[in-house]
Amino acid sequence: MKITELLSKNTILLNIEGNQKEETINQLVDILMKADKISDASEFKAAILKREEQSTTGIGDGIAIPHAKTKVVKEAAIVFGKSASGVNYESLDGKPAHLFFMIAAPEGANNTHLEALAKLSGLLMKAEVRYELLKATTPEEIIETINRYDKEEKKETSAPNKKNFIVAVTGCPTGIAHTYMAADSLKAKAAEMGIDIKVETNGSGGAKNVLTSEEIKQATAVIIAADINVEMERFKGKHVIQAAVAEGIRRPQQLIDQALKQDAPIYHGNGNKSNQESEKKGSRTGFYKHLMNGVSNMLPFVVGGGILIAICFMFGYNSFKPDDPSYNQISEALMTIGGGNAFGLIVPVLAGFIALSIADRPGFAPGMVGGMMAASGGAGFLGGLVAGFLAGYIVLLLKKIFAGLPRSLEGIKSILLYPLFGIAITGFIMLYVVNKPVAWLNGTIADWLTGLGTGNAVLLGIVLGLMMSFDMGGPVNKAAYVFGTGLLASGVYGPMAAIMAAGMVPPLAIAIATTLFKNKFNDQDRDAGKACYVMGLSFITEGAIPFAAADPLRVIPSVMAGSAISGALSMAFGIGLRAPHGGIFVVPLVEGGALLYALAIFIGSIVAALLIGFLKKPIK
């Protein structure tokens, strides 16, 4: 089936009004309703928005493909829309979207329809197609352009006997667009690099181009670019790279390079990576992944609890104490919920989810118990880190020890043997080996930071600021963030304030620079710069990444300098922040002066913006 059998003149909108995501979706849904392709506009829109909640369908390069599969769709259809000025669509690359293909698929959509939709996704990966669609001024030109590029593809064949042969699997929750765009992106980049690749797509119509056991055997490595569960047992013994489907679209070369270098753990089934080669090549990635799994699951407790504590202090610093003159019952309740309970779970949750990441579900209970012992024993955040990794690797060892038991006893391993021995061994080691020395170390660090002189505090703020802007959401940024969250549990709040201030600077600096130095940026960058105001004020550091990637030698040093200044000023002003989140939402909750904190952020942002403006060359 050709794409234009699903796209007609009456489902083409050449002039989208407005620049906001939801109003754009409303206009495209209205076109479907007027064309009698759907029976209920509100229900279809709800399905579209539900898909957007899973991950944005703004895939970058100025394209958005909102899509849904629901019973209110009468027949499969595509709506094309175009916006000359661009729409703030929360795209993966942070830039406005100009081309829109809204896909409506009925619940009983046949494979022919789904294959046509998949072909559309592939066509949009080609720059020349996007260019011609942007220049088209009539519905006829749109249809003619798509027809010209919509050709029957040859059946993909693999070349497993060649030296550099890679296999990949892609999949997204709805299986309509991102699945095929990731596949086409990987195939296009592999062809450009002279690499043989075969990609299995796990789309709405089922798995296509399924990998054979011989192809998997001959492959150098396996790339899994999917946001859904993929059948993994067939990849035992292979180097497996696991990434989000969006990374398959945006970062195909990095994934392919990683596969060629076999820079990934060897998969051994059930999430275990057990041989020496796997540990050697994947140890850094594995450690970081396990740590981030613990931190990401811990953060909701820290954020929620920290903000509740900060609100409590707005009634007075001792207002939660019944014997204090400023006592307030609501304040006491806030402290009980936030400090006594939410904060009380921080360390156990951190340890439990680190252990879960290492040893799967059997590691969770020993990790939680080890984390609870660290918290009650004074070892705090550092003790929780030790407990999580200790429990995880103890359970992995137990799995090896019990591997020789008869298969008839398989059922009692997870419900009896792993929790019994895992909790006991982890508990004994925490109680008699870990807690006391780590508690001493934890207290020493907290005392040192609390007693820092102004000069040393400023130096620490500079270092943390540089780390936050160095890779803007990468490992160095996350290392600074983890450092700050760990200190919160020890009652040290200054570094977290510096980290949050520094993290707001990069997108704010970009926004200011695009406003002040318009001749240094093109129209598309200036439009994207407006969105950076919102992202900066919301502490979304990653909003600056597209600009940094386009001009790293000028942008990255500039924002690092600005972030260092903000971090230093925050520490110099004696600002404290109990919640590990930034943005205008928490500025009123800081300790030491909200206006001084806002000034620190403002000065750093202005300095970085001026540096960007002076260093960048005018656009010709």
Side-chain angles (χ1 to χ4, degrees), residues 288 291-292 295 299 381 461-486 495-496 498-507 535 539-545 548 556 559-560 563-564 580-582:
Y288 179 73
L291 175 61
M292 285 301 105
V295 170
L299 284 182
F381 186 83
I462 290 172
V463 172
L464 292 173
L466 292 172
M467 292 175 70
M468 285 299 289
S469 287
F470 176 72
D471 54 1
M472 289 173 273
V476 176
N477 171 286
K478 289 293 190 293
Y481 190 71
V482 169
F483 175 75
T485 54
M496 180 52 73
I499 289 165
M500 295 299 103
M504 294 171 67
V505 166
M535 287 189 276
F539 184 64
I540 303 174
T541 312
E542 292 84 348
I545 289 177
I556 292 177
V559 297
M560 286 179 68
S563 292
H581 201 285

Side-chain angles (χ1 to χ4, degrees), residues 500-528:
M500 295 299 103
M504 294 171 67
V505 166
L508 286 175
I510 293 294
I512 295 168
T514 55
T515 301
L516 297 180
F517 303 96
K518 294 185 178 181
N519 64 325
K520 305 291 181 78
F521 299 91
N522 60 34
D523 291 341
Q524 193 173 21
D525 286 340
R526 289 198 296 273
D527 286 338

